[in-house]
Amino acid sequence: MRRALLCVLVAVFSLGLAACGGSKSSSAQSRTVQVDGTTDKFNASFLQYFPQRVTVHPGDTVDFHENWTGEPHTVTMGTLAEAGLKAVKDAGPSAQNGPPPPAFASLPTLLPQGPGDANQNAAQPCFLTTGAPPADPATACTKDQQTQPDFTGNQTYYNSGFLPEGDTYKVKLSPDIKPGTYSYYCNLHGPEMSGSIVVVGKDRSTPSADTSNKAADAEKAAVVAKLLPPYNDAKAGKFPLPGITNVAGYGAQDVQAASINEFIPATIKAKVGQKVPWAFVGFHTMTFGKAPIEPGKFLTKSPDGAWHLNEALGKPIGFPEAPQTPNGPPSSGPPPVINVDGGTLSDNTTLKSTGAVGGDPSTGILQYNVTFTKPGTYTYVCLIHPKMGGVVDVS
Ligand SMILES: [Cu+2]
């Protein structure tokens, strides 16, 4: 009580003294790491953990809180993950467009590179003292390997599996864990989405929960601040590429940590017979009529613990299939626009979905074109990202 009061006074007279409220306490504590996040500025996904570094003592617990935005995430750690992340780092940024180093490439990923179901060796929890997770994507770790032990820092593989909406995944650090830095990453989004748990000895203090949470908020606010100018430009109809007028999803080349999940503009006015284009940035669906699934609910758990991808998401329904954007290094000039003829739409009740469309905008921009043949109000949604929808007013 007295310590708390003193801290308030110190805070009033000298702004932000980090040591105050710090903890040397011998009783175990917990700190929270936000997985993904939301903002009131726009509908978005954050491919980042907040804060990216959390400092704790042996015996403490790190609570990873999943903020559902439609992007599936995991928290994957252990010595194999550590070695994979180090290999990527050692390869340097110039290797980014080539294949990942073997130490990383051998780690399972939540979803396959193309169409197909979720990979069970990555989507289900797995905690191994020795050895590697199953190489066969359809094979999950055994039930006893799915029982979570304390994290010792010596486990070879320590994977949360897919974190469903609102889940809090708790990592209890062993009282015997050696002080040091332990890295983790998301096995869908790769090394770009990673963070670390810094374990310090009991003789050293750690930032308070409040300080840690404020750091998390500030890190997220920094990402939001970078995306706001391009977002506001897009809302004003200003796009960096000539010929782009409507987008499905948005972002900025230099802000890889977040993507905007909105159709911009939210309402498009069109004439009967006019071709309406949408340039896809990131992966989205454009689904007209009655949605076959609730947007964002595309992974379902079966009674045996397996996670399955809803087929309604990936495949086109009533619309032609869009090609993949080219693989390989980013184009030197402005990326080419790849136009896809999406055919026609004549009523606003029949289910028609593009399936998951998108790709890497640095190698090519997919532009999906739909011609509306009757006047009316056509509403549509993205099945991947909740609260991502738009309207086409045809007259
Ligand atoms: Cu989307």
Side-chain angles (χ1 to χ4, degrees):
M1 179 67 195
R2 199 165 157 190
R3 186 179 150 86
L5 181 65
L6 185 66
C7 276
V8 169
L9 290 174
V10 170
V12 167
F13 290 106
S14 69
L15 283 170
L17 194 70
C20 212
S23 158
K24 264 190 188 175
S25 152
S26 56
S27 65
Q29 303 209 357
S30 65
R31 294 290 180 270
T32 300
V33 173
Q34 304 291 342
V35 182
D36 209 325
T38 54
T39 169
D40 58 3
K41 303 288 186 239
F42 38 67
N43 194 35
S45 292
F46 292 82
L47 313 182
Q48 198 168 315
Y49 301 96
F50 304 107
Q52 269 190 311
R53 286 166 73 90
V54 66
T55 306
V56 290
H57 287 133
D60 285 355
T61 300
V62 180
D63 295 340
F64 288 91
H65 179 71
E66 167 63 39
N67 299 282
W68 186 248
T69 69
E71 291 287 332
H73 303 294
T74 71
V75 174
T76 305
M77 45 209 283
T79 56
L80 291 171
E82 202 87 55
L85 291 170
K86 186 178 180 300
V88 171
K89 204 175 164 197
D90 290 349
S94 59
Q96 232 169 36
N97 299 310
F104 187 81
S106 60
L107 296 165
T109 59
L110 183 61
L111 297 174
Q113 275 288 329
D117 200 9
N119 294 326
Q120 300 310 320
N121 59 351
Q124 295 191 42
C126 183
F127 308 99
L128 304 177
T129 310
T130 57
D136 173 15
T139 306
C141 288
T142 62
K143 284 293 155 209
D144 59 302
Q145 289 168 338
Q146 295 195 8
T147 307
Q148 186 183 6
D150 287 0
F151 181 68
T152 62
N154 299 321
Q155 282 109 347
T156 52
Y157 197 62
Y158 196 95
N159 176 26
S160 65
F162 167 63
L163 299 174
E165 181 169 6
D167 198 28
T168 297
Y169 167 65
K170 290 172 180 288
V171 174
K172 165 96 162 61
L173 302 168
S174 161
D176 306 323
I177 192 170
K178 273 202 213 118
T181 300
Y182 299 93
S183 305
Y184 58 86
Y185 77 110
C186 167
N187 73 20
L188 177 63
H189 294 101
E192 287 78 24
M193 183 169 175
S194 60
S196 50
I197 299 173
V198 180
V199 180
V200 297
K202 296 261 185 191
D203 56 323
R204 288 179 54 192
S205 70
T206 58
S208 69
D210 187 50
T211 301
S212 181
N213 292 343
K214 283 193 171 123
D217 290 346
E219 287 169 25
K220 190 173 75 179
V223 179
V224 171
K226 278 197 217 165
L227 269 184
L228 257 183
Y231 173 71
N232 286 332
D233 280 352
K235 296 278 270 190
K238 284 184 268 175
F239 294 97
L241 281 175
I244 302 289
T245 51
N246 313 316
V247 292
Y250 205 54
Q253 200 68 262
D254 57 337
V255 189
Q256 296 294 317
S259 49
I260 292 168
N261 300 325
E262 291 187 22
F263 296 101
I264 307 173
T267 300
I268 297 170
K269 293 202 182 299
K271 296 282 175 210
V272 169
Q274 185 190 334
K275 212 175 239 189
V276 180
W278 282 268
F280 278 71
V281 181
F283 275 94
H284 307 281
T285 81
M286 211 158 68
T287 306
F288 291 85
K290 192 182 173 347
I293 57 166
E294 196 185 320
K297 297 257 157 64
F298 52 87
L299 278 162
T300 29
K301 199 178 192 173
S302 57
D304 66 354
W307 286 100
H308 294 295
L309 201 57
N310 197 308
E311 280 190 22
L313 181 84
K315 288 181 189 161
I317 304 166
F319 273 146
E321 189 155 1
Q324 298 279 316
T325 53
N327 281 321
S331 52
S332 47
V337 175
I338 303 153
N339 273 291
V340 184
D341 187 358
T344 59
L345 202 58
S346 57
D347 75 88
N348 53 16
T349 50
T350 308
L351 166 64
K352 270 199 173 188
S353 181
T354 59
V357 171
D360 180 356
S362 67
T363 62
I365 297 195
L366 276 177
Q367 188 159 258
Y368 207 92
N369 301 276
V370 180
T371 307
F372 295 84
T373 56
K374 283 203 179 124
T377 303
Y378 297 76
T379 59
Y380 61 104
V381 297
C382 168
L383 297 178
I384 302 173
H385 301 109
K387 290 177 265 169
M388 177 170 180
V391 176
V392 185
D393 255 333
V394 182
S395 58

